[in-house]
Amino acid sequence: MPWRRRRNRVSALEGGREEEAPPEAAAVPPALLTSPQQTEAAAERILLRGIFEIGRDSCDVVLSERALRWRPIQPERPAGDSKYDLLCKEEFIELKDIFSVKLKRRCSVKQQRSGTLLGITLFICLKKEQNKLKNSTLDLINLSEDHCDIWFRQFKKILAVMEYEGHALSLLKECELQGFDGGHRKPLFVIHWSVQRLFTGMQTLEPSVVCVGGDGSASEVAHALLLRAQKNAGMETDRILTPVRAQLPLGLIPAGSTNVLAHSLHGVPHVITATLHIIMGHVQLVDVCTFSTAGKLLRFGFSAMFGFGGRTLALAEKYRWMSPNQRRDFAVVKALAKLKAEDCEISFLPFNSSDDVQERRAQGSPKSDCNDQWQMIQGQFLNVSIMAIPCLCSVAPRGLAPNTRLNNGSMALIIARNTSRPEFIKHLKRYASVKNQFNFPFVETYTVEEVKVHPRNNTGGYNPEEEEDETASENCFPWNVDGDLMEVASEVHIRLHPRLISLYGGSMEEMIPK
């Protein structure tokens, strides 16, 4: 960010001029225009202009409709002095990057409620490398109460974008938050001290739900919000063909062991970045899947694994006394030692990217019609993955489904047919590298809109000859849905629903590593 770092010395201006520009004052003075961005700013209407100390310089500060600009006030020097031009270069921040404002005061021990006015502090969101965001502050120093009050009220007015009070409460009043408990885990709604201060004094945070936790907790909250939206719309929640969009956006702050959903949203599992996306209102619509069996809705979700992925999670759930990383590694090793294929029949509807079809489906029209051609494959499969998001994580930095996006209206169907254990391990190791993890003869990938997975045996992985309990209940098959264990005895139907929920995060087109 272009402004200089503030020193410890505070030398405030006493008073200072301040102008509240009339509506017809629509241009920045030509002397301040030194770049294309500044030339474009000339068309902006000036809201306020005044003098503040920024860093150690007395500056001419201009607040327009889009940006805050300032230039150090220097004595006049001969034209063409390059050193002078460099020192007087205009700096600016865009208003969309400001998320809060407060009056800056110096308080003594005796002054508990108020103190000597120093000026105004702006809280700003900055972009760093590797998709990370950070928070910073900019101090506008001026000792005049009247001068600062006018500017403070103008900043508050700009930031006052919040919907009417009680809107979030009215939507969540009947939302059964206790239903988010999955029986073994409750979402953690305690924010670390490093991000608590970011929410202090917030004016721009819209009504929303924020979940601090891992993938399972985040998925449960998303499921609850979508289920509540269907109930509010008067829809039958047991059988949902065209669900309605969730009414509140969901913010995810990563605090789990894998954080696949948050990582896919933000491009990095970084708590401060996730928090700032929420504060700045960076919302994007995300595709969601429905999982159903025999026509009955099981849950909403973003990704699922059947076979090796489901068995690994089922094993890990039996060792929850271990730390998350330990039980994950232990379960992977044990599932590989007992690697077995599932006899399945998989039907899928290929993705149709034509604009008219996508528009019809985005409007809630039934997915299947006479022009849609279902395809079917069958055989022995070690693992089946169905993913509506890229599923970035530490063990797969490019994503488990790197060719998928958050809202492109399609899912990735990734199938690993039966092969030797060493070859399957090579395939798994490829996820952690830059090589193509799908470049194996036993791996098949499809871009789809619907999938039906029908196991053709009824043992559910249960083997009475094993000394220990196996990975699933008798006659049930384990599924890994967003890190939660789902056991189903029959066919599972997965359908994609475009842009069904709003999540706080950045643009995945910019964030997904190449």
Side-chain angles (χ1 to χ4, degrees):
M1 187 54 64
W3 66 80
R4 298 177 178 85
R5 183 175 298 174
R6 180 173 59 85
R7 270 68 165 196
N8 291 329
R9 186 180 70 86
V10 177
S11 176
L13 296 176
E14 181 64 46
R17 63 187 178 90
E18 154 260 308
E19 303 173 5
E20 193 159 2
E24 61 271 14
V28 178
L32 296 183
L33 303 177
T34 60
S35 68
Q37 292 86 351
Q38 294 164 345
T39 303
E40 182 181 343
E44 298 178 26
R45 184 168 66 92
I46 295 176
L47 303 177
L48 288 174
R49 184 171 184 177
I51 296 177
F52 289 93
E53 180 176 329
I54 300 178
R56 299 185 64 178
D57 297 321
S58 296
C59 297
D60 180 14
V61 183
V62 177
L63 176 63
S64 65
E65 293 176 313
R66 295 184 181 179
L68 179 73
R69 304 172 185 275
W70 64 94
R71 177 192 289 271
I73 300 173
Q74 299 286 350
E76 293 210 13
R77 297 190 183 185
D81 189 332
S82 59
K83 183 177 180 181
Y84 170 75
D85 292 339
L86 181 63
L87 290 173
C88 294
K89 183 177 180 181
E90 182 186 88
E91 301 177 78
F92 70 95
I93 55 174
E94 296 184 70
L95 296 187
K96 66 182 180 64
D97 294 328
I98 301 174
F99 61 85
S100 190
V101 60
K102 74 173 184 178
L103 292 173
K104 182 179 180 65
R105 297 183 182 274
R106 180 191 289 120
C107 298
S108 64
V109 177
K110 296 180 180 180
Q111 296 172 314
Q112 296 181 356
R113 294 187 178 181
S114 64
T116 303
L117 178 69
L118 299 178
I120 298 171
T121 297
L122 301 177
F123 295 85
I124 304 161
C125 174
L126 306 180
K127 293 182 180 179
K128 295 178 63 179
E129 71 286 349
Q130 297 179 344
N131 305 320
K132 289 185 178 180
L133 302 179
K134 64 173 289 187
N135 63 299
S136 185
T137 58
L138 176 67
D139 290 332
L140 308 178
I141 303 300
N142 191 304
L143 294 181
S144 170
E145 291 272 0
D146 293 338
H147 184 73
C148 290
D149 181 64
I150 293 174
W151 282 74
F152 179 72
R153 284 189 286 108
Q154 184 64 54
F155 278 119
K156 292 272 286 186
K157 182 179 179 180
I158 292 171
L159 294 175
V161 296
M162 192 168 181
E163 297 185 33
Y164 69 88
E165 294 184 9
H167 177 62
L169 179 62
S170 66
L171 292 174
L172 285 176
K173 186 180 295 182
E174 296 180 3
C175 189
E176 299 174 359
L177 295 179
Q178 65 270 23
F180 295 168
D181 181 6
H184 56 271
R185 179 204 304 107
K186 289 187 178 181
L188 177 63
F189 289 93
V190 178
I191 301 177
H192 190 267
W193 69 269
S194 62
V195 300
Q196 278 181 336
R197 57 192 176 92
L198 297 183
F199 287 104
T200 304
M202 276 300 307
Q203 291 92 18
T204 60
L205 189 60
E206 297 181 354
S208 56
V209 175
V210 177
C211 175
V212 185
D215 291 318
S217 296
S219 181
E220 288 179 42
V221 176
H223 170 75
L225 288 176
L226 286 165
L227 206 59
R228 172 55 56 189
Q230 314 317 306
K231 292 180 179 178
N232 290 345
M235 299 180 63
E236 184 180 356
T237 56
D238 285 343
R239 301 176 185 273
I240 300 176
L241 294 178
T242 55
V244 299
R245 185 176 296 168
Q247 296 162 286
L248 287 176
L250 173 60
L252 305 176
I253 298 179
S257 55
T258 53
N259 304 304
V260 167
L261 185 53
H263 198 156
S264 297
L265 273 172
H266 313 309
V268 61
H270 188 240
V271 171
I272 298 295
T273 296
T275 306
L276 285 171
H277 277 306
I278 297 169
I279 291 174
M280 301 304 297
H282 297 161
V283 176
Q284 59 179 324
L285 293 170
V286 178
D287 298 342
V288 181
C289 305
T290 51
F291 298 84
S292 58
T293 183
K296 183 178 181 180
L297 177 70
L298 297 172
R299 62 173 295 162
F300 292 94
F302 301 94
S303 65
M305 288 185 286
F306 173 79
F308 176 78
R311 290 175 180 276
T312 300
L313 179 61
L315 281 168
E317 290 298 305
K318 295 180 178 294
Y319 298 91
R320 293 197 66 85
W321 51 270
M322 294 183 178
S323 67
N325 290 336
Q326 283 180 331
R327 67 171 177 264
R328 181 192 63 195
D329 295 342
F330 175 79
V332 168
V333 172
K334 190 169 183 180
L336 285 172
K338 299 181 178 182
L339 188 65
K340 62 171 290 188
E342 295 287 357
D343 185 14
C344 290
E345 180 179 287
I346 302 175
S347 304
F348 60 90
L349 183 63
F351 174 61
N352 190 333
S353 60
S354 62
D355 294 338
D356 57 337
V357 173
Q358 289 308 306
E359 182 179 358
R360 171 171 56 82
R361 287 168 179 165
Q363 293 174 350
S365 300
K367 285 187 173 291
S368 303
D369 58 29
C370 59
N371 296 322
D372 293 328
Q373 299 296 322
W374 282 81
Q375 297 182 20
M376 190 265 289
I377 56 177
Q378 54 188 350
Q380 300 283 325
F381 303 106
L382 289 177
N383 191 70
V384 179
S385 298
I386 305 105
M387 299 177 174
I389 61 174
C391 293
L392 277 67
C393 58
S394 59
V395 297
R398 294 180 63 249
L400 299 175
N403 298 323
T404 306
R405 294 296 180 264
L406 294 172
N407 50 21
N408 63 349
S410 67
M411 301 181 292
L413 171 61
I414 305 166
I415 296 170
R417 290 184 179 270
N418 196 14
T419 188
S420 65
R421 184 181 292 108
E423 286 298 302
F424 185 67
I425 292 175
K426 287 181 184 179
H427 163 61
L428 295 181
K429 287 183 175 180
R430 283 276 184 93
Y431 282 96
S433 70
V434 296
K435 296 181 180 179
N436 186 354
Q437 62 262 43
F438 309 131
N439 190 22
F440 290 91
F442 57 89
V443 177
E444 302 171 15
T445 62
Y446 304 89
T447 304
V448 301
E449 298 172 10
E450 293 187 52
V451 180
K452 296 178 181 179
V453 180
H454 178 69
R456 294 194 293 185
N457 60 55
N458 58 0
T459 62
Y462 177 75
N463 187 348
E465 296 181 359
E466 293 286 346
E467 293 183 2
E468 300 180 28
D469 291 339
E470 256 294 348
T471 58
S473 304
E474 187 174 2
N475 297 328
C476 284
F477 295 87
W479 283 76
N480 181 339
V481 180
D482 297 331
D484 269 346
L485 181 62
M486 180 178 75
E487 295 183 336
V488 187
S490 58
E491 176 184 276
V492 174
H493 185 184
I494 303 100
R495 306 178 71 173
L496 184 83
H497 304 278
R499 302 170 178 263
L500 197 59
I501 192 170
S502 298
L503 300 179
Y504 287 101
S507 172
M508 285 304 304
E509 299 300 325
E510 301 175 359
M511 290 186 170
I512 293 180
K514 302 298 183 184

